């Protein structure tokens, strides 16, 4: 998952924060990203005593002779394209101000000149979360955050073989190659690569151009917008303690989902892409679970189905009134509405059937979800979506009955016998209005 998130961050032009104990290959990920992009690489470990010269370059002696306070930037962070800063939260105030502007605006002040830096992605690493409030701004600069753990007990044998230079036998979907040389994804990057489906064929220019291409090519459906807005409201207004999500982070999360869809070869963001937000919206380690659970619950509850049920109930009431009044113009309009509802329900029923029968193909074919994430999501979604499918099938049956009644101009009493539950709801609505 760390490999996937780093690749996604680079494609989106964002930064990745890795939190976890030493010796978990955090720096190795950044080095491999530099090799993949072919970009200039910079790496540094910060301490409490680090000075700006370590990151931004020494002062130019020639410049000082000419009364100019400028740095020699070559080989330092302002000239790098991929960077790794270990113990990032040990940055002191002398480093912090320049680092904030460099990360967010990609600008660096060298003397009286403001220079644009070529930085594509910075990987920050730390053993712990920042405790000082003055580091909150730096923490917010990392759009994607991931807690890195040790290799699991089940994979220690593979780690031993890797250390001995032996090949590793891996199962599909675990994100590793047989040689241990990095990640290879199931051909999902053809829209941003050259058609071979291998991320290794991407150039630095293609990395830089992906975010803009995704912004222009990928749509954000209303269902995804609803998840985003309701998730932020939930985190800030209903969680205890509240989880703050800045407007900047909210907007960048939208662009990140567009990049994820574009690199997957899609022209729309899918609801399942919102599962990535567990690495974006959380402030503390346990926040990721809250985000993930909310997204799964929202997808499973299917708010669109609840809205469709309300639309059908309104249509049923109108059909009863039209069949009583026999106004031909209103009857034709109601028939068209019924046909539209039937078509909508038929599509929804087909989509749910395809998802359940195909074992969630849209989720499983996403390059950005690990096998363990997919399995957990499928297990959480299946019971409620199976129930939703039954509700849609029943609603479709009722809509077809209503459509036939309107076509045949039946008596309202027949509707009462055919759909007694809906007729009671209709009568109850009349009584409440009266």
């Amino acid at each position: 998952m760390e490999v996937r998130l780093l690749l996604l961050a680079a494609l989106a032009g964002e930064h990745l924060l890795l939190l976890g104990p030493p010796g978990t290959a955090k720096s190795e990920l950044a080095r491999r990203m530099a090799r993949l992009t072919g970009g200039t690489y910079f790496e540094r470990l910060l301490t409490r005593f680090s000075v700006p010269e370590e990151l931004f370059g020494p002062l130019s002696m020639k410049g000082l002779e000419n009364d100019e306070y400028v740095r020699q930037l070559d080989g330092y962070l302002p000239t790098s394209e991929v960077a790794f800063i270990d113990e990032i939260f040990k940055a002191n105030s002398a480093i912090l101000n320049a680092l904030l502007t460099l990360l967010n605006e990609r600008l660096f002040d060298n003397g009286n000149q403001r220079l644009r830096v070529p930085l594509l992605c910075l990987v920050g690493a730390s053993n712990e979360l920042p405790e000082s409030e003055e580091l909150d701004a730096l923490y917010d600069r990392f759009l994607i955050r991931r807690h890195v753990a040790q290799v699991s007990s089940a994979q220690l044998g593979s780690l031993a073989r890797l250390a001995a230079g032996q090949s590793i036998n891996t199962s599909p979907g675990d994100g590793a190659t047989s040689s241990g040389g990095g990640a290879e994804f199931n051909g999902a990057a053809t829209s941003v690569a050259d058609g071979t489906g291998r991320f290794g064929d991407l150039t630095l220019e293609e990395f830089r151009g992906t975010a803009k291409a995704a912004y222009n090519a990928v749509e954000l459906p209303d269902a995804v917008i609803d998840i985003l807005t309701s998730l932020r409201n939930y985190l800030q207004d209903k969680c205890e303690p509240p989880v703050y999500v800045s407007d900047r982070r909210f907007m960048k999360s939208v662009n990140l989902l567009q990049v994820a869809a574009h690199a997957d070869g899609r022209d729309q963001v899918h609801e399942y892409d919102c599962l990535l937000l567990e690495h974006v919206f959380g402030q503390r380690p346990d926040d990721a679970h809250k985000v993930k659970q909310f997204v799964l619950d929202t997808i499973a509850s299917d708010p669109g189905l609840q809205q469709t049920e309300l639309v059908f109930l309104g249509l049923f009431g109108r059909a009863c009134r039209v069949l009583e009044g026999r106004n031909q113009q209103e009857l034709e309009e109601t028939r068209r509405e019924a046909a539209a509802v039937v078509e909508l329900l038929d599509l929804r029923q087909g989509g749910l059937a395809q998802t359940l029968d195909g074992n969630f193909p849209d989720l499983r074919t996403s390059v950005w979800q690990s096998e363990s994430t997919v399995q957990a999501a499928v297990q959480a979604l299946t019971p409620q979506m199976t129930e939703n499918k039954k509700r849609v099938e029943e609603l479709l049956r009722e809509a077809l009955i209503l459509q036939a009644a309107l076509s045949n101009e039946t008596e309202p009493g027949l509707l009462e016998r055919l759909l007694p539950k809906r007729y009671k709801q209709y009568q109850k609505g009349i009584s409440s209005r009266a």
Side-chain angles (χ1 to χ4, degrees):
M1 198 64 206
E2 289 78 8
V3 173
R4 288 172 165 85
L5 292 174
L6 176 54
L7 186 58
L8 180 58
L11 289 170
E14 295 294 344
H15 310 298
L16 171 69
L17 176 65
L18 297 174
L19 294 164
T24 48
K26 296 187 288 291
S27 59
E28 179 64 17
L29 282 174
R31 295 186 194 113
R32 293 195 182 190
M33 175 55 67
R35 292 203 298 269
L36 176 66
T37 63
T40 305
Y41 180 66
F42 176 82
E43 180 178 325
R44 192 67 80 239
L45 168 66
L46 294 185
T47 69
R48 290 180 300 165
F49 308 105
S50 293
V51 293
E53 284 74 15
E54 295 179 42
L55 289 181
F56 310 121
L59 291 173
S60 169
M61 295 297 104
K62 284 187 177 181
L64 290 175
E65 290 175 2
N66 297 323
D67 295 330
E68 294 178 350
Y69 193 85
V70 294
R71 297 184 182 278
Q72 294 178 325
L73 305 180
D74 288 344
Y76 289 87
L77 182 57
T79 60
S80 66
E81 280 136 347
V82 178
F84 175 75
I85 307 296
D86 202 0
E87 296 300 334
I88 184 79
F89 296 122
K90 286 188 169 60
N92 52 49
S93 57
I95 293 173
L96 194 58
N97 290 335
L99 195 57
L100 291 176
T101 305
L102 190 145
L103 289 177
N104 196 55
E105 284 83 16
R106 303 299 203 279
L107 297 172
F108 179 73
D109 293 323
N110 192 25
N112 60 1
Q113 288 186 314
R114 174 158 279 199
L115 308 175
R116 183 160 292 280
V117 301
L119 184 64
L120 174 70
C121 177
L122 184 141
V123 180
S126 178
N127 297 332
E128 55 191 5
L129 288 170
E131 296 180 357
S132 172
E133 288 186 1
E134 68 178 7
L135 294 172
D136 287 349
L138 178 59
Y139 186 44
D140 196 54
R141 293 299 193 270
F142 292 94
L143 182 63
I144 303 178
R145 302 155 179 169
R146 171 72 176 179
H147 288 265
V148 184
Q150 289 181 299
V151 171
S152 65
S153 299
Q155 292 297 323
L156 279 176
S158 297
L159 186 63
R161 293 186 184 91
L162 181 65
Q166 299 176 12
S167 62
I168 304 172
N169 295 320
T170 59
S171 59
D174 63 1
T177 61
S178 59
S179 62
E184 185 161 324
F185 299 88
N186 298 323
T190 53
S191 62
V192 292
D194 61 0
T196 63
R198 296 194 305 271
F199 280 110
D201 295 322
L202 284 168
T203 64
L204 188 60
E205 288 71 27
E206 286 173 315
F207 268 96
R208 293 195 186 282
T210 298
K212 184 177 180 180
Y215 179 79
N216 293 325
V218 177
E219 294 183 7
L220 194 70
D222 289 341
V224 174
I225 293 175
D226 290 342
I227 291 176
L228 285 165
T229 55
S230 59
L231 174 58
R232 174 170 148 160
N233 292 337
Y234 165 76
L235 291 173
Q236 294 197 162
D237 300 335
K238 298 180 180 178
C239 275
E240 189 57 45
V243 180
Y244 176 69
V245 179
S246 67
D247 292 345
R248 173 177 59 200
R249 178 166 292 272
F250 182 82
M251 292 180 67
K252 285 191 171 188
S253 69
V254 173
N255 300 140
L256 185 76
L257 296 183
Q258 288 178 299
V259 170
H262 184 63
D264 237 353
R266 292 179 274 120
D267 59 6
Q268 271 197 346
V269 177
H270 198 282
E271 291 176 336
Y272 297 136
D273 293 325
C274 293
L275 291 171
L276 291 167
L277 297 175
E278 71 168 292
H279 309 292
V280 177
F281 280 174
Q283 296 284 358
R284 294 167 292 274
D286 57 338
D287 291 340
H289 175 72
K290 296 177 185 177
V291 173
K292 182 178 179 180
Q293 195 59 51
F294 182 88
V295 172
L296 288 172
D297 289 345
T298 304
I299 295 173
S301 66
D302 198 349
L305 176 56
Q306 299 171 23
Q307 187 177 3
T308 305
E309 285 183 316
L310 293 174
V311 169
F312 175 75
L313 189 57
L315 176 64
F316 183 86
R318 185 176 181 185
C320 290
R321 293 191 296 273
V322 166
L323 290 173
E324 288 172 357
R326 302 290 174 175
N327 183 302
Q328 287 301 314
Q329 183 178 350
E330 289 189 10
L331 184 61
E332 286 300 320
E333 291 177 1
T334 309
R335 284 171 178 166
R336 286 194 292 271
E337 287 183 24
V341 170
V342 167
E343 182 180 2
L344 177 65
L345 287 168
D346 189 49
L347 287 172
R348 186 176 286 273
Q349 190 272 338
L352 284 168
Q354 184 180 11
T355 296
L356 291 168
D357 296 344
N359 200 14
F360 294 80
D362 291 333
L363 181 57
R364 292 188 180 279
T365 55
S366 172
V367 71
W368 305 114
Q369 303 297 340
S370 66
E371 187 64 26
S372 59
T373 303
V374 170
Q375 293 292 359
V378 168
Q379 188 175 5
L381 292 170
T382 298
Q384 184 60 54
M385 291 187 75
T386 302
E387 184 62 31
N388 290 347
K389 181 171 176 283
K390 293 178 182 177
R391 287 170 58 193
V392 170
E393 289 171 347
E394 177 60 22
L395 199 58
L396 178 58
R397 183 189 71 82
E398 292 178 336
L400 287 168
I401 290 173
L402 185 62
Q403 186 181 36
L406 288 166
S407 298
N408 297 320
E409 299 185 30
T410 60
E411 296 295 327
L414 182 59
L415 270 183
E416 181 180 2
R417 293 194 296 274
L418 291 172
L419 301 172
K421 183 180 76 171
R422 300 301 180 186
Y423 197 81
K424 285 181 181 179
Q425 290 175 322
Y426 166 62
Q427 289 295 333
K428 186 177 180 180
I430 293 176
S431 299
S432 63
R433 284 197 298 273

